[in-house]
Amino acid sequence: MSTALFQPFRLRSTEFRNRLWVPPMCQYSADTLDGRAGQWHRVHYGAMSRGGAGAIIIEATAVTPEGRISPYDLGLWDDNHVDSLTTVVETIHAHGAKVGIQLAHAGRKGSTYRPWSESDPGTAVRGSLSPREGGWDTIAPSAIEYPGFRTPQAASISDIERLIDAFGQAAQRAEAAGVDCVEIHAAHGYLIHEFLSPLSNTRNDRYGGTLENRARFLREIVEAVRGQVSDTMPLVVRISATDWAEGGITIDESIEVARWLKDDGVDLLSVSAGGNVSGISVASGPGYLVPIATAIREVVGIPTATVGFITRPEQAEQIVLTGLADVVLVGREFLRDPHFGLRAAQELGAQIPYLPAPYQRAYR
């Protein structure tokens, strides 16, 4: 039996075996404090590939050292990172999934702790690391702090030019490591989102003010990445389509940005929301972000990926079957069950050729 969720999906010349993907989820588990991937990443991502995911987008990977969220983040700011990333990519490929990587810069939300206490992993911690703790100065479009974090430095034009080049160079390294697609992180209150939102961008130069100016940084990064990777490489951009706050970026503005990105050569928009304003209360629930992805897909005519408390196979199936989005991103459920893809195929009655032989007894 064939299902919509387990139909192949093509971007440029790359075919993904299904439309059930794992979104980037920070692990804060780099082998060393210089951004290298290690055994944790090979096992973590390899299990999800073996478990039937169509693609796995590797977590936010910093394009500069100061672009990390925490000292334990992955990085691609140096050629020395390529070998360790290659081993992760090869592990994922060995079990059949395609590999993406999210290239990121944390902006004013960088230089922070891992989101758990070292002495009590069940306790959340936040805020800026001090220099004594290994912290660093952060950068943002404007010198406006995120609540609870230190005030960032406003980026100069030369800083912006350096950062655009860093995204391009990181994309080139990602392709050298063997990834199948590149995702630019423009969501969740990190640097590119900070430029897009008037709540964090009060510049009066060509990178601030109008929507066109606020989107310039992202569009120039897209241009730089496109210039450094093969024409066949699919390019994904993850956006926060709304700040959920008065005076912030709106869905209508994000639709306009999506039009520009489509013209710039972006192949898929991963649609999320929020992250740039603290203390926001949103009525969330299963699939609560799907209507935004659908609106962008229908108005702009660009493929979209959706996310947000999608935990049941039939829920994901209906999203694809009814044309609400092209790809369904399932995060927490893959953390709970790395074989969620195999379980979803079984529950939907999909016949897939990549059910591992040693596991077939469990799915009869």
Side-chain angles (χ1 to χ4, degrees):
M1 176 181 172
S2 178
T3 68
L5 187 65
F6 285 92
Q7 285 296 305
F9 180 61
R10 181 174 290 273
L11 292 174
R12 299 198 178 225
S13 62
T14 300
E15 183 173 278
F16 303 83
R17 65 185 178 184
N18 64 50
R19 296 155 183 264
L20 181 63
W21 294 11
V22 178
M25 294 179 284
C26 290
Q27 297 299 295
Y28 307 104
S29 298
D31 244 17
T32 60
L33 298 185
D34 61 357
R36 286 182 173 85
Q39 185 181 39
W40 175 269
H41 302 89
R42 294 191 295 275
V43 173
H44 169 69
Y45 292 120
M48 294 173 177
S49 178
R50 185 184 60 201
I56 294 167
I57 312 297
I58 293 172
E59 67 207 75
T61 302
V63 300
T64 66
E66 70 274 11
R68 293 172 293 171
I69 301 168
S70 82
Y72 299 93
D73 288 17
L74 296 185
L76 258 183
W77 63 80
D78 191 284
D79 290 345
N80 291 326
H81 291 126
V82 173
D83 285 348
S84 65
L85 179 61
T86 300
T87 63
V88 177
V89 172
E90 290 174 345
T91 301
I92 297 171
H93 280 161
H95 298 288
K98 298 297 185 186
V99 186
I101 189 166
Q102 186 183 67
L103 301 182
H105 191 295
R108 65 180 184 168
K109 292 174 77 175
S111 186
T112 188
Y113 302 91
R114 291 195 276 199
W116 61 80
S117 167
E118 299 300 326
S119 59
D120 180 10
T123 301
V125 293
R126 67 189 302 275
S128 296
L129 290 167
S130 68
R132 181 179 56 81
E133 296 171 304
W136 54 87
D137 292 332
T138 57
I139 197 168
S142 303
I144 302 171
E145 75 278 1
Y146 187 82
F149 288 69
R150 72 165 61 92
T151 302
Q153 299 175 355
S156 66
I157 295 298
S158 62
D159 289 328
I160 291 171
E161 291 172 346
R162 174 180 60 85
L163 291 167
I164 292 168
D165 181 66
F167 272 91
Q169 294 298 320
Q172 184 180 59
R173 294 183 186 106
E175 185 168 32
V179 305
D180 302 292
C181 66
V182 170
E183 178 176 291
I184 296 169
H185 195 0
H188 301 160
Y190 298 118
L191 184 65
I192 301 175
H193 183 184
E194 292 164 17
F195 271 88
L196 287 166
S197 173
L199 295 176
S200 46
N201 182 352
T202 58
R203 302 176 71 95
N204 56 14
D205 60 10
R206 67 180 185 270
Y207 292 98
T210 66
L211 178 63
E212 182 177 12
N213 282 352
R214 287 183 278 119
R216 191 183 307 278
F217 182 52
L218 170 57
R219 297 186 69 187
E220 290 181 352
I221 288 171
V222 168
E223 181 182 13
V225 169
R226 269 272 160 251
Q228 291 288 351
V229 299
S230 304
D231 290 341
T232 55
M233 175 70 74
L235 180 56
V236 182
V237 173
R238 191 168 214 194
I239 62 169
S240 280
T242 174
D243 281 328
W244 303 119
E246 184 176 355
I249 194 165
T250 66
I251 294 172
D252 286 343
E253 286 183 318
S254 291
I255 287 173
E256 187 61 31
V257 172
R259 286 194 180 99
W260 296 334
L261 294 176
K262 180 182 177 183
D263 290 342
D264 294 339
V266 172
D267 302 293
L268 176 74
L269 274 186
S270 176
V271 182
S272 188
N276 198 40
V277 181
S278 67
I280 298 296
S281 178
V282 177
S284 61
Y288 75 108
L289 294 173
V290 173
I292 304 175
T294 303
I296 292 174
R297 184 179 189 268
E298 291 180 347
V299 173
V300 179
I302 188 171
T304 59
T306 191
V307 70
F309 299 112
I310 300 168
T311 60
R312 295 179 292 108
E314 61 270 24
Q315 180 188 8
E317 169 71 10
Q318 285 301 307
I319 289 169
V320 177
L321 181 65
T322 57
L324 301 180
D326 299 273
V327 168
V328 177
L329 301 166
V330 173
R332 286 178 175 85
E333 198 62 23
F334 262 107
L335 292 181
R336 299 183 189 106
D337 176 8
H339 298 121
F340 176 70
L342 301 182
R343 175 160 59 86
Q346 181 195 37
E347 292 185 18
L348 295 172
Q351 301 298 315
I352 56 173
Y354 41 88
L355 176 61
Y359 291 176
Q360 289 186 11
R361 74 188 77 176
Y363 291 90
R364 290 174 183 156

